[in-house]
Amino acid sequence: MYRTFLTNLCALLAVVAISQTVEANSRLLEIEKGQISGVRVANDVDAFLGIPYAAPPVGPLRWKAPRPAQPWDGVLKANKFPTACPQLGNFFANVPASQFGKPVGTEDCLYLNVWRPAPAKEKQLPVVVWIHGGSNFKGTSADPMYDGKYLASKSNIVMVSLNYRIGLLGAISYKALENGTKLDKSGNFVTLDLIQGLKWVHDNIKTFGGDPNNVTIMGQSAGCMNVWGLLQTPLSEGLFHKAVCSSGLPNIYPKAMARARSGDFVENLVFNARLVADRKDAGKFIEAKGEKWVREFLYSRTSDEIVLGQDYSVPVQHIEDEVVFPHGLEATALGFYQQVPMILGSTMDEATYLLGTQYFKPDLATLWGYLQNTPANLKFEDVINTNYVTFRTATKSTSLALNRTISNIYLTARLYNSETYRYNFEWNNTPQPWKDILGSVHGMDAIFYLGNFDSKNENFARFAWTEENRESREALREEMNKHFTQFFWTGNPGWKGTIDFK
């Protein structure tokens, strides 16, 4: 009997070992540039994190259009999120509060992440490419709010997220930097990075079970603006087939405006380097030095110095340049953009964050602590430095204005494409004092359709999830997922015109 027991045990262990080997081999893939190995992140989802989709934009490739990634030898362990692109530490950089306001990130940041159902329930699944927000100055694909495993499993799709250059490293118009190819000279590296990422998807996503002929681009806030950028540029044609755009507006800046912003940035760098004693003398100093000196000076700056030279709330991320954006914003108003099925959406209280930050009383690190673990006795007046009526009047009127603008864009878009849909997001069951302070805050809709009610890892929305609101939020998440899944698969979300999610 003992011998029989040992025989059975050995057989069982052999089966387990074979099963584990087969499972591990299913996460060893051969893609265009080499072999990669992923990780199992849920019972039915594999993740491949930190895959290079372009060559590192460093050294002579800084301020150049992205080049293809180089092949690698051996097996690339795709098991770790990429580092954020250079920025000041903030709520959306996936860094500890001790680094808020300090330069973080690295220029070697052009990596993407893929989540797929495992084992794949069927081949040729729809692909969703997530473009993170952050005013095109902040953010990273590694933010816990943007994890792709819920959507990959629930919607049975292949989910992709990616980093792209931000700030003045991502969009610049400065004469001394205009050398190289037409794309190099354009300065529109935000959009060119995203196009390079979509080319990677087109060339590689079949290996993950995805359909390169059924790709939805999706983004929130600046991510939505960049979705618009991909719709507006002719260079992305054929690389995507549907779009979801949440809480963002189309924009293309005249070159003169981009020139002014870029020139101001270079003057900041010169002053910060103590090459002039007075900031107002920086322009004359630069003019006297000439283009060659300025170009060498710019390439000699560290990424930290570049980040510290950017003292703007929003950069000029899309620049009219005759190549990437051959037309200005007026062309968009006339319907000159790629006409694909599209969802436009916004939240009821967009401005409680977009405008309300000027009323926040605590410093960012303290406020972040409140968002992660709200003190039981925290009150409205502990967070906001004015009275409730003043705060709500300012934020509500601005929210209404933004929502009206997006509704008007939707109505105009419908003139050119009947497959355009609109949603309003109104869920507001968060605990106090956040219910009064943030409400249905900017970005809350994306957390619902991405499905990440993350109360374990530090993230901006951690304050929102309680046992008391579990039933309502899970029911709404289920409803939104039903519609968005249908859109990913067919291009029709299953509602006509406008829908309210609340």
Side-chain angles (χ1 to χ4, degrees), residues 484-500:
F484 277 72
T485 298
Q486 185 171 329
F487 183 76
F488 300 150
W489 280 85
T490 70
N492 186 328
W495 76 75
K496 293 182 179 180
T498 300
I499 191 173
D500 295 329

Side-chain angles (χ1 to χ4, degrees), residues 197-464:
L198 289 174
K199 288 178 178 177
W200 184 97
V201 169
H202 181 271
D203 294 340
N204 293 278
I205 209 64
K206 275 188 177 180
T207 305
F208 300 86
D211 183 356
N213 296 310
N214 187 0
V215 176
T216 300
I217 55 173
M218 184 163 73
Q220 184 269 338
S221 193
C224 173
M225 293 180 182
N226 295 332
V227 165
W228 270 112
L230 291 169
L231 289 164
Q232 291 162 316
T233 178
L235 302 185
S236 66
E237 188 171 355
L239 294 175
F240 64 91
H241 312 92
K242 297 182 291 294
V244 177
C245 202
S246 301
S247 303
L249 308 176
N251 62 64
I252 297 176
Y253 291 87
K255 180 165 282 191
M257 184 180 294
R259 286 273 204 240
R261 173 63 56 83
S262 302
D264 191 58
F265 160 68
V266 176
E267 291 180 12
N268 284 348
L269 293 180
V270 165
F271 178 67
N272 292 348
R274 299 182 180 180
L275 298 178
V276 292
D278 194 315
R279 172 66 173 76
K280 68 182 181 181
D281 296 328
K284 291 182 180 179
F285 177 88
I286 291 167
E287 186 177 357
K289 286 293 186 180
E291 285 186 16
K292 182 176 183 296
W293 181 91
V294 175
R295 182 165 52 250
E296 291 174 353
F297 169 76
L298 290 173
Y299 275 93
S300 72
R301 298 302 89 192
T302 67
S303 61
D304 286 2
E305 288 169 328
I306 288 169
V307 167
L308 290 170
Q310 304 176 152
D311 56 352
Y312 320 106
S313 58
V314 179
V316 286
Q317 63 266 56
H318 305 129
I319 305 165
E320 187 176 356
D321 66 349
E322 300 180 357
V323 181
V324 181
F325 297 108
H327 307 290
L329 187 58
E330 70 283 351
T332 305
L334 295 172
F336 291 99
Y337 57 91
Q338 296 181 52
Q339 299 296 339
V340 298
M342 179 164 56
I343 294 175
L344 301 175
S346 58
T347 71
M348 181 172 60
D349 294 307
E350 294 283 357
T352 53
Y353 178 76
L354 295 177
L355 176 69
T357 51
Q358 65 180 297
Y359 296 103
F360 289 169
K361 184 181 295 185
D363 60 46
L364 289 181
T366 301
L367 181 60
W368 184 254
Y370 291 165
L371 291 169
Q372 304 316 305
N373 297 287
T374 304
N377 60 347
L378 189 69
K379 298 180 177 62
F380 177 91
E381 54 268 25
D382 296 326
V383 180
I384 301 300
N385 63 15
T386 189
N387 63 73
Y388 177 82
V389 172
T390 299
F391 177 79
R392 290 301 292 176
T393 299
T395 57
K396 198 65 178 178
S397 59
T398 305
S399 295
L400 287 170
L402 180 56
N403 274 289
R404 179 62 60 87
T405 301
I406 292 174
S407 290
N408 288 338
I409 290 170
Y410 158 72
L411 293 172
T412 303
R414 288 273 298 182
L415 295 175
Y416 307 112
N417 184 359
S418 62
E419 294 182 296
T420 305
Y421 308 91
R422 170 86 163 100
Y423 73 81
N424 298 304
F425 183 88
E426 301 178 7
W427 185 85
N428 184 18
N429 290 335
T430 56
Q432 292 289 13
W434 306 115
K435 185 180 180 73
D436 288 340
I437 296 170
L438 295 175
S440 185
V441 67
H442 180 71
M444 186 66 79
D445 50 343
I447 299 169
F448 272 72
Y449 61 64
L450 293 173
N452 295 316
F453 300 149
D454 189 343
S455 57
K456 179 181 178 182
N457 300 295
E458 289 195 351
N459 66 88
F460 176 75
R462 194 177 182 185
F463 71 90

Side-chain angles (χ1 to χ4, degrees), residues 60 72 117 122 136 277 471:
W72 55 82
E122 51 192 296
N136 274 301
E471 183 177 352

